[in-house]
Amino acid sequence: MTSSETLLQLQGICKTFGATRALHQVNLSIRRGEVHALIGENGAGKSTLMKVLSGAYQADAGQILLNGKPCVIGNPADGRNLGIAMIYQELNLAPALTVEENLTLGTEKSTAGFVRNQREAIRKALELMEHPHLPLNAPVRSLSISLQQIVEIARALVTNASVVIMDEPTSSLTAADTRALFRVINRLKENGIAVIYISHFLEEVQEISDAYTVLRDGETVGSGRMADVTIPEIIEMMVGRKLHEMFPKTDHAIGETLLHVDNLKGRHMPHGVSFDLRRGEILGIAGLVGSGRSETIRSIFGLERAKDGMLTLSGSQKITAAAMFPRRAMEKSVDLLSEDRKEEGLAVSMSIRANTTLSSLTRFASLGGWGLINLRKEGEGVQRWIKDLGIKCQGAWQPVVGLSGGNQQK
């Protein structure tokens, strides 16, 4: 690769958080008009590296070169001004504002104190995104997730981004929306824009990417052209050893029925859903977006009110589905990991410790759950889960918002 072909280089990037080494001598080189996959397990350093590139974090060592020239990215505004746009997994939009207001938010241009119209730049961006007729006056919250993502990408184009970072862009998209996104990415490539693509879906990564870089434990362990590598080879680089089975089977016995769902009905379940879940069993629920998958689970936990149906727990505890609510579900040993961890699953400004024990504090309290919390016992329990789940953090006191997406999920 010659310097004239290289748009962006990260050389020897290092970043630590207290005693935690997040990045060590990481190198990344991106060509103009290239889709470059950044691959690694949860906690490998992908999000940290991209936050360094976008200006959210400052590196402890190393340098960033744009068009062959060293640059300093002290904050996200510096990154935007240099043409680097970050699109996070959890979309960063103002739901109550219109499409047009979101497209220009933070980059408004003014003359004599009056905000100038940027309709021409918006029109070009939306044409490139294959959505020239997207209603500019519509509130963003009225759009589907896929159209909200279009708005997020178009905002990067309005600011003349030359590098667009996409973090898990298809995690909430249907297959059809994913195909549409891939067409958009190919149009970005045709216009000379480089895309850094982060995803755990390796087949998807292989299809859309021209090149790749693999991180493991905060270090670069492999890079090259995507056409020259196989998925098993990528996985071997990610985990540091040969992986003979992606989903190894374990010997276990299927026991008695723990949950019987009978004729559960809701907004997207007019005909009723029925199934049994047995001890030691993993039950998959599949279907298209809008078919009622999430509503089924949320109704069982009580986050959404069911219209009809009966739940039987442990073979004898019968509960009307419409009478279920989260506190009652947890009392019956039913819990939920929400797909929307930012809004429903976590209190991101609070610590790892607080989030881990928030819904089970009575386990650490005296007098059968009514007395003072035993802080030592609580701390030991939290440390055990940090170790068992391999949560990469500075300590149990660290706010959850400072963790990578994968570690937040853990």
Side-chain angles (χ1 to χ4, degrees):
M1 187 184 298
T2 63
S3 59
S4 62
E5 294 174 310
T6 304
L7 172 65
L8 174 71
Q9 288 178 291
L10 282 73
Q11 299 178 339
I13 300 296
C14 298
K15 181 66 179 177
T16 59
F17 298 98
T20 303
R21 189 179 74 175
L23 300 172
H24 180 67
Q25 294 294 322
V26 173
N27 299 308
L28 183 65
S29 186
I30 313 291
R31 297 182 183 186
R32 189 179 304 278
E34 171 183 82
V35 178
H36 195 108
L38 186 61
I39 306 169
E41 292 189 284
N42 289 335
K46 307 184 298 296
S47 296
T48 302
L49 183 65
M50 291 302 97
K51 286 180 179 179
V52 167
L53 176 57
S54 64
Y57 291 159
Q58 280 68 57
D60 299 328
Q63 66 174 347
I64 299 172
L65 291 86
L66 192 62
N67 292 312
K69 298 178 180 178
C71 59
V72 177
I73 306 177
N75 53 59
D78 288 345
R80 284 197 303 271
N81 293 335
L82 289 168
I84 299 169
M86 179 84 185
I87 300 173
Y88 291 96
Q89 181 178 354
E90 286 121 356
L91 297 179
N92 194 20
L93 297 170
L97 298 184
T98 66
V99 170
E100 182 174 6
E101 289 167 337
N102 271 276
L103 288 173
T104 59
L105 191 61
T107 59
E108 297 88 348
K109 301 182 185 300
S110 63
T111 301
F114 294 93
V115 175
R116 292 207 317 260
N117 188 308
Q118 297 188 62
R119 288 286 177 94
E120 182 61 22
I122 290 172
R123 182 188 63 78
K124 290 180 179 178
L126 291 178
E127 282 182 354
L128 183 59
M129 299 296 293
E130 299 182 350
H131 283 78
H133 304 299
L134 195 66
L136 298 184
N137 292 324
V140 160
R141 66 184 169 204
S142 69
L143 304 180
S144 66
I145 291 295
S146 58
L147 286 178
Q148 288 184 31
Q149 194 166 57
I150 291 294
V151 173
E152 186 92 73
I153 299 171
R155 181 166 63 185
L157 301 180
V158 170
T159 60
N160 293 316
S162 58
V163 178
V164 177
I165 305 163
M166 295 186 179
D167 187 3
E168 299 285 352
T170 63
S171 60
S172 300
L173 299 186
T174 65
D177 288 336
T178 297
R179 304 312 309 172
L181 176 64
F182 283 5
R183 290 196 299 271
V184 167
I185 290 174
N186 284 324
R187 294 198 71 177
L188 297 180
K189 285 174 55 178
E190 292 167 3
N191 283 268
I193 297 170
V195 176
I196 300 176
Y197 193 90
I198 302 173
S199 177
H200 288 100
F201 301 123
L202 296 183
E203 291 82 2
E204 177 184 291
V205 164
Q206 192 176 48
E207 177 182 352
I208 194 63
S209 304
D210 304 299
Y212 71 92
T213 293
V214 179
L215 298 185
R216 185 176 71 242
D217 296 330
E219 298 186 14
T220 306
V221 293
S223 62
R225 307 307 295 174
M226 187 60 75
D228 299 331
V229 70
T230 64
I231 288 179
E233 289 170 338
I234 291 175
I235 293 172
E236 186 176 339
M237 284 185 270
M238 289 171 59
V239 302
R241 56 185 172 81
K242 286 189 178 296
L243 202 63
H244 301 291
E245 284 186 281
M246 282 289 288
F247 304 101
K249 297 289 185 181
T250 56
D251 292 331
H252 65 289
I254 301 298
E256 73 279 14
T257 298
L258 292 180
L259 172 65
H260 173 66
V261 177
D262 183 31
N263 199 34
L264 180 66
K265 292 183 179 180
R267 186 163 36 106
H268 294 115
M269 304 176 293
H271 305 296
V273 174
S274 301
F275 60 83
D276 288 331
L277 177 65
R278 302 169 67 187
R279 186 181 298 279
E281 181 176 64
I282 297 174
L283 173 68
I285 297 178
L288 298 174
V289 171
S291 63
R293 299 167 307 169
S294 296
E295 188 182 3
T296 297
I297 300 303
R298 293 169 68 84
S299 297
I300 292 170
F301 188 66
L303 272 181
E304 290 194 23
R305 184 60 59 87
K307 293 182 178 180
D308 196 7
M310 185 69 68
L311 308 175
T312 305
L313 298 165
S314 300
S316 60
Q317 303 176 57
K318 289 184 178 294
I319 302 171
T320 303
M324 184 63 87
F325 53 92
R327 184 168 184 173
R328 188 175 189 182
M330 288 190 288
E331 288 172 353
K332 303 294 184 182
S333 298
V334 177
D335 214 331
L336 172 74
L337 296 183
S338 172
E339 61 184 340
D340 187 358
R341 65 171 178 261
K342 183 178 179 182
E343 296 296 329
E344 295 179 343
L346 294 168
V348 294
S349 62
M350 296 176 71
S351 68
I352 296 169
R353 177 173 179 151
N355 273 276
T356 303
T357 63
L358 199 56
S359 59
S360 57
L361 282 173
T362 55
R363 295 177 57 187
F364 306 103
S366 59
L367 302 177
W370 293 94
L372 297 175
I373 295 173
N374 185 328
L375 296 179
R376 182 185 58 79
K377 183 180 178 183
E378 181 196 19
E380 289 173 352
V382 172
Q383 288 297 336
R384 186 182 75 250
W385 283 112
I386 289 175
K387 180 181 178 182
D388 289 351
L389 291 175
I391 299 173
K392 295 199 172 184
C393 61
Q394 300 173 44
W397 50 267
Q398 183 180 358
V400 166
V401 70
L403 301 180
S404 69
N407 283 295
Q408 287 186 14
Q409 190 70 15
K410 291 179 181 180

